[in-house]
Each structure stands twice: as C-alpha cells, then as structure tokens.
Amino acid sequence: MPPAKKRTRSYDSAKIRAAVLAQFGNVREAVVGLTAEQLALPTALGDWTVRELVSHLAMAVESVNRTIELSAELSTQQPAPTPVLPLLRWPFVTADLAPDISRDVKEVAASASPDELFERTAGRIAALLPATPDDRMITTRVGAMRLGDFLVTRTIELIVHTDDLNQAVAGLGVPYDRQALAACTRLLADALAVKAPGASTEVRIPPYAVVQCVEGPRHTRGTPPNVVETDPLTWIRLATGRTTWREALDAAHVSASGERADLGGLLPLMR
C-alpha cells in the first residue's frame, strides 16, 4: 500500500475524546451485567470467547493510558519521536499485529475479571487524558503517532468490537455513541479512497460520510453514474471483513449502481 496522499479529514478533538470515553462507558455498563455463561460464549473472532473480546475492548482504551505514560517517560530522556504514521495509514498496517494482540488478550483476560479491567482503565484514563494534549507524540504498536490521531483509531476499535459483542451476546444491545460511530465510519470511508484513488464512484454512508474513489471518468455534475450507498454499521462490517460484498448485496443492505460500483474486490480494508 503506497503512502496516503489523500488529505486527512480533520476531527474535533473535544468530540473525539468525549466519543471514546462515551463508547467505553457504554461497553463498561453492559459488561458489568454479563454472567459467567455469557462470558464463556464464542465469538466470530477465531477462538476468542466473550470474556476475551471484552478484555480486548478494555485494552483498546488502556493502550491510550500506556502510550501516554511511555511518552512522558521518554520526554525526559530524549526528543519526541518523529511522526511516522499518518492517520490514514493506520487501517492498513494493523493486520500483522493480530498474533501479538491475540496473545496479549488471552493473558489479560486470564489475569483479571472484565469488571476489574474496566474499572482500572476508567480510573487511569480519567487521570491521564485531560492533562495530555493531542499533539503529544506517542509510540504505538505500529509506530509513532499523534495522540489526537491515535484517539480517532480508538473509535474504530471500540465501535467494531462493540458490534462483535452485540453479535455474540443475543439481546445485549450495547448502544453506539453517535460521535464514535461517525468517526469510525469516516475514517474507514477515507481509507477506501486511499486504497482506490479516483473520482468515478461515489460512496455514500448517510448521515456520516460521502467519498469519491476508483479510477475512471471523473464526475463533475448531476447524478453520479456509479453510486454505492449503505448504512454505517453495514459499511463498518464490510470494511473490516465481518460481512462480504455479496452478502450485503443479497440482504439489500447495500445498493450499487453503475459499472464501477462493485467494491467487492477492494474490501475488506482491514481485518
């Protein structure tokens, strides 16, 4: 994948911070009521149980705490790391981390109950995040990033895995924070435009995102000849491999018109 050339969308810092905390809170509230039987249920994520999935959700936010603490330690020893990972590159560099993440998840899930993990993480982020600016350079698993950019990636982790949790536990119904869902949708839509640059196809994900992509004749006025439209959760499932293009079409969860409107060969964007 070549370096991203698309101009990065700007995100409102206060809204992103509030969204991450709100979605984390939504999951935490649901996790408190899970029974031992529910925690032992399987998920669609390989051999992960619900217990391991909710541990990963806690880890997605705990990683913010760890990177903030590490950046504070490094700032007293050496210059801040050079930013090497633009936000729009993040969706394309996470797949290789899966084995390490799975190992860490299993260790964390075995070390403490979900309630303990969420309580500890909530207390730490409440103390660390307000005092740390968005332009603080942090070291993540995939390289140096701005804290503000890393927080946007947390909306993907939280929304995608909240959906996984809702799919695994019937009737759980963890709500999706609107701002977190919007940021997740937009970043994954922009990632599609990076992967397939062009302006022949318009992808609409109301009410959050519209992007143009795919090489071909550029459309400038009137109704675009190639249009794809879907809802945010279907888009997120397509972009992360939770459902396939054909499944979404057959279920009428996505509409596609025009000879360049078939996105099946471009999806998923990340796994």
Side-chain angles (χ1 to χ4, degrees):
M1 175 63 58
K5 295 181 180 179
K6 185 182 185 298
R7 181 179 178 182
T8 303
R9 186 192 301 267
S10 62
Y11 292 87
D12 183 287
S13 173
K15 289 182 178 179
I16 291 298
R17 287 172 176 242
V20 169
L21 295 177
Q23 190 58 38
F24 178 74
N26 289 343
V27 177
R28 183 185 181 189
E29 184 175 349
V31 165
V32 169
L34 291 179
T35 65
E37 291 76 14
Q38 288 173 315
L39 288 171
L41 289 170
T43 71
L45 302 177
D47 63 350
W48 283 12
T49 64
V50 167
R51 183 187 184 104
E52 287 157 341
L53 174 55
V54 298
S55 296
H56 181 61
L57 278 157
M59 290 169 62
V61 176
E62 178 58 27
S63 64
V64 177
N65 297 330
R66 293 199 311 270
T67 56
I68 288 175
E69 289 177 332
L70 179 60
S71 70
E73 293 174 8
L74 293 177
S75 67
T76 65
Q77 304 171 19
Q78 61 189 49
T82 302
V84 296
L85 190 70
L87 177 57
L88 284 177
R89 285 282 293 140
W90 181 85
F92 303 111
V93 298
T94 60
D96 291 342
L97 301 176
D100 289 342
I101 291 174
S102 185
R103 181 199 64 230
D104 292 348
V105 164
K106 290 181 180 296
E107 290 178 357
V108 169
S111 70
S113 71
D115 290 1
E116 292 171 327
L117 293 175
F118 276 82
E119 182 176 1
R120 182 166 65 228
T121 297
R124 281 163 49 74
I125 200 164
L128 291 168
L129 188 57
T132 311
D134 278 356
D135 59 1
R136 171 73 63 83
M137 293 307 305
I138 59 173
T139 301
T140 75
R141 290 177 184 262
V142 291
M145 295 183 73
R146 290 178 61 255
L147 174 62
D149 289 342
F150 188 60
L151 288 171
V152 178
T153 72
R154 299 305 85 190
T155 67
I156 291 185
E157 292 285 352
L158 286 166
I159 291 295
V160 170
H161 292 305
T162 293
D163 191 40
D164 291 333
L165 182 57
N166 282 334
Q167 296 290 324
V169 183
L172 188 60
V174 183
Y176 303 92
D177 175 77
R178 180 178 175 85
Q179 291 296 335
L181 182 61
C184 177
T185 301
R186 290 165 181 158
L187 181 52
L188 290 173
D190 289 344
L192 173 65
V194 169
K195 185 173 184 178
S200 71
T201 302
E202 186 166 282
V203 179
R204 302 170 179 172
I205 313 160
Y208 300 130
V210 177
V211 296
Q212 293 186 338
C213 58
V214 183
E215 291 183 349
R218 183 180 183 86
H219 175 75
T220 58
R221 61 193 306 177
T223 303
N226 305 289
V227 177
V228 173
E229 185 165 333
T230 188
D231 63 275
L233 279 179
T234 297
W235 167 243
I236 289 165
R237 291 166 186 165
L238 285 166
T240 59
R242 268 61 178 177
T243 192
T244 68
W245 178 252
R246 176 48 56 188
E247 287 169 343
L249 281 175
D250 290 346
H253 292 157
V254 61
S255 63
S257 60
E259 61 181 14
R260 298 177 187 272
D262 186 345
L263 303 182
L266 298 171
L267 300 170
L269 302 173
M270 61 182 296
R271 298 179 185 274

